Every structure is written in structure tokens, then in C-alpha cells.
């Protein structure tokens, strides 16, 4: 596999120690959080945990965010923690904000987070936060467009096994959102629920010109050959390494890539250069 100058992980979650310690209380306050917290594979991590993991696995830069709660007040609380963390580790972490798209104070919260150093919006959860990609993100899209922010949204495959957190928003909804917002830098998490395969259709590829896909939870969902499928469909240059840490360690992904093996240039794009383009990092 390639040895990129840096490995960039675009999909990690951290929470304040206070929320982790009072997990039971927060599970009562958010149905979606409760569903994920009850999973046998669920894990929690603080900022210190993330930094230690990065040193252990060789990840140079991580995009990190909290949890997309339905309550905008909880989102703001975790956004504050992300902002504090990024100020501690400005060379290692890029902070994204989680917001509630229906929040009457959405514009104010985004402005506050930008002033505190956060550089993107996500990961947003359509089912958990009660919105559809069919029109439910119009305000968020407008804000991202005006502020030049990248957007990361949870999207699921609509076939296969059931699991906690598997939502109803799949490739069709994601494509419709991208079609309505062709100028936005969008990352559809979890391989976009398989949307990338449809880039074999020329008219779809043109609509998805600014769309990226991350690999979050890939070892739970796909065989290693999914990377080859992305290459064949002509969009390996838009695949972003995302570990979904602490759900999975980056090592699980490196093992998948090594098992192919992934061509050196493809690995370089997935592990570093594509993320630089998505994030606007020189």
C-alpha cells in the first residue's frame, strides 16, 4: 500500500467526558442516541482517546465531531467541546459542528461555531434528527453555500442486514439532494449507501461532480473489493478514508486495503489527497 505523507481520517466521533459519564441520562433525552448506545459494538471516546489512537495508528489529521442530537441545545454543548479540543490540537484535528436542521437558531449556531474555529457541518443523521434529504436540509445547504463549508451526511444502503442506526435515507435521497445542490462539497458517509456505483451512469456522474464518499463502517458492510468497485466506477478520486472511530480502529481499514492490495496511487488518494481536496487543505 502507498505511504502517503499523511493519513487523514475524515470521520471520527468524540464526546465530552461528562456526557459519557452520564450516558444513561442522555439516552433518555435522545431516542437515536439511545438506539446506538445500546448496540453491542458501541464505543465512546474523548479527545484524549482520539489523539492517543492517532499516535498509535499513524493517522496525522482527523476530522472530528460529536453526535447529531435532535435537541439543538445538546448539539451546541458538544460543539463547544469540539471547539475547545481543536484549539488544543490545531495541527492534528479539524472540527465539524453537529446542528439540528430544524433549529430556529440554526444560522446563529453555525456562525458561533465558525467563529470558534469549526470548519464544516456534520455528521448529520436524517432519521435521528427527523429530517429528509428531500428538502429537509435546504437551510443547512444555504448556509454551507454562503460560508463555503463542506457538509457530511449519514446515508445508508437500503438492502442487507439490519443494525442499530441503519436509516431510511439511501442513494435515491442522496442523489436528489446532490442534484438540488450541485455546487456544495458534500460527503455522503458509509459509501453513500452504494450511490458511488451509479457513477457508472454518465448523467449521474455529472450531477455528483462535487460529491465525496467516506469509508466509515466499511469492514462491517462490504468486502475489501469495494475499493476496486469504486475504481471501476470511476470515483476512487472521491473516496475518503473515514474510520468512524471509536466504532472501529483505522487498522481494520488498513488491513482491508492491504488484502487487495490497493494500488499505490489509489491508496494515496483515499488516505490523503482526496481529503485535502474535500477539506480545502493545501
Amino acid at each position: 500500500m502507498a505511504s502517503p505523507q499523511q493519513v487523514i481520517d475524515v470521520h471520527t466521533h468524540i464526546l465530552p467526558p461528562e456526557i459519557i459519564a452520564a450516558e444513561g441520562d442522555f439516552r433518555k433525552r435522545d431516542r437515536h442516541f439511545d438506539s446506538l448506545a445500546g448496540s453491542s459494538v458501541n464505543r465512546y471516546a474523548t479527545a484524549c482517546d482520539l489523539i492517543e489512537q492517532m499516535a498509535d495508528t499513524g493517522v496525522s489529521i482527523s476530522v472530528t465531531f460529536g453526535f447529531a442530537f435532535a435537541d439543538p441545545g445538546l448539539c451546541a454543548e458538544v460543539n463547544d467541546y469540539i471547539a475547545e479540543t481543536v484549539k488544543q490540537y490545531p495541527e492534528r484535528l479539524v472540527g465539524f459542528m453537529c446542528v439540528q436542521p430544524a433549529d430556529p437558531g440554526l444560522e446563529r449556531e453555525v456562525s458561533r461555531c465558525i467563529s470558534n474555529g469549526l470548519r464544516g457541518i456534520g455528521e448529520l443523521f436524517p432519521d435521528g434528527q427527523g429530517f429528509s434529504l428531500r428538502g429537509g436540509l435546504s437551510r443547512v445547504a444555504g448556509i454551507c453555500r454562503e460560508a463555503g463549508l463542506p457538509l457530511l451526511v449519514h446515508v445508508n444502503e437500503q438492502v442487507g442486514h439490519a443494525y442499530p442506526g441503519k436509516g431510511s435515507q439511501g442513494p435515491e435521497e442522496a442523489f436528489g439532494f446532490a442534484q438540488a445542490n450541485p455546487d456544495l462539497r458534500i460527503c455522503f458517509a458509509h459509501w453513500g449507501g452504494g450511490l458511488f456505483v451509479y457513477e457508472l451512469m454518465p448523467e449521474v456522474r455529472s450531477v455528483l461532480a462535487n460529491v465525496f464518499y467516506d469509508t466509515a463502517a466499511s469492514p462491517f458492510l462490504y468486502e475489501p473489493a469495494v475499493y476496486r468497485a469504486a475504481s471501476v466506477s470511476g470515483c476512487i478520486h472521491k473516496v475518503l478514508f473515514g474510520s468512524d472511530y471509536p466504532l472501529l480502529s483505522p487498522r481494520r481499514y488498513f488491513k482491508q486495503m492491504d488484502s487487495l492490495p490497493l494500488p499505490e496511487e489509489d491508496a494515496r488518494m483515499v488516505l490523503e489527497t482526496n481529503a485535502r481536496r474535500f477539506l480545502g487543505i493545501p
Side-chain angles (χ1 to χ4, degrees):
M1 193 169 69
S3 298
Q5 281 189 307
Q6 295 185 319
V7 175
I8 302 176
D9 186 344
V10 303
H11 192 133
T12 70
H13 295 270
I14 59 175
L15 287 172
E18 299 79 18
I19 288 183
I20 297 174
E23 169 199 15
D25 293 338
F26 287 91
R27 289 181 64 174
K28 293 175 184 176
R29 296 172 64 180
D30 191 285
R31 175 189 57 80
H32 193 60
F33 183 69
D34 178 55
S35 171
L36 294 177
S39 168
S40 61
V41 298
N42 182 61
R43 303 286 186 275
Y44 295 116
T46 64
C48 290
D49 295 327
L50 174 58
I51 292 296
E52 288 178 8
Q53 175 271 138
M54 291 170 65
D56 184 50
T57 59
V59 173
S60 302
I61 299 172
S62 287
V63 176
T64 195
F65 30 81
F67 185 86
F69 291 102
D71 180 350
L74 291 180
C75 288
E77 183 179 335
V78 179
N79 289 339
D80 287 342
Y81 178 67
I82 301 298
E84 292 169 9
T85 296
V86 170
K87 288 173 184 175
Q88 283 184 275
Y89 305 100
E91 304 301 319
R92 306 299 306 279
L93 301 179
V94 175
F96 274 25
M97 67 194 84
C98 289
V99 295
Q100 165 55 270
D103 177 13
L106 175 64
E107 289 79 5
R108 183 171 60 252
E109 174 62 10
V110 173
S111 177
R112 187 182 73 86
C113 288
I114 291 174
S115 67
N116 282 333
L118 302 190
R119 294 165 55 182
I121 296 180
E123 176 192 16
L124 302 187
F125 295 153
D127 287 83
Q129 295 185 294
F131 70 87
S132 168
L133 286 170
R134 297 181 185 277
L137 274 186
S138 56
R139 287 172 65 203
V140 170
I143 291 169
C144 288
R145 185 174 294 109
E146 183 176 343
L149 299 176
L151 173 65
L152 193 154
V153 183
H154 182 96
V155 178
N156 279 120
E157 71 291 347
Q158 295 302 293
V159 296
H161 65 286
Y163 50 85
K166 184 169 184 172
S168 63
Q169 303 289 291
E172 185 176 358
E173 291 79 10
F175 177 77
F177 178 72
Q179 191 172 36
N181 299 280
D183 53 338
L184 295 188
R185 272 179 296 153
I186 307 165
C187 176
F188 291 130
H190 315 292
W191 293 97
L195 177 60
F196 73 95
V197 174
Y198 292 91
E199 294 216 19
L200 286 165
M201 302 170 68
E203 68 271 28
V204 171
R205 187 185 309 128
S206 65
V207 168
L208 301 178
N210 287 322
V211 167
F212 295 77
Y213 310 95
D214 79 27
T215 66
S218 190
F220 285 159
L221 301 171
Y222 298 101
E223 295 180 355
V226 67
Y227 294 94
R228 285 185 182 149
S231 182
V232 169
S233 65
C235 59
I236 194 70
H237 66 291
K238 303 199 294 179
V239 176
L240 311 174
F241 166 56
S243 68
D244 218 351
Y245 175 83
L247 178 67
L248 285 167
S249 164
R251 285 199 176 92
R252 291 283 296 275
Y253 300 82
F254 301 157
K255 184 177 180 180
Q256 276 201 327
M257 293 180 202
D258 285 336
S259 72
L260 288 170
L262 194 63
E264 181 174 328
E265 185 54 34
D266 287 359
R268 192 182 307 278
M269 286 191 285
V270 171
L271 293 173
E272 180 188 6
T273 56
N274 296 346
R276 289 189 180 280
R277 205 165 73 256
F278 175 65
L279 297 170
I281 300 176

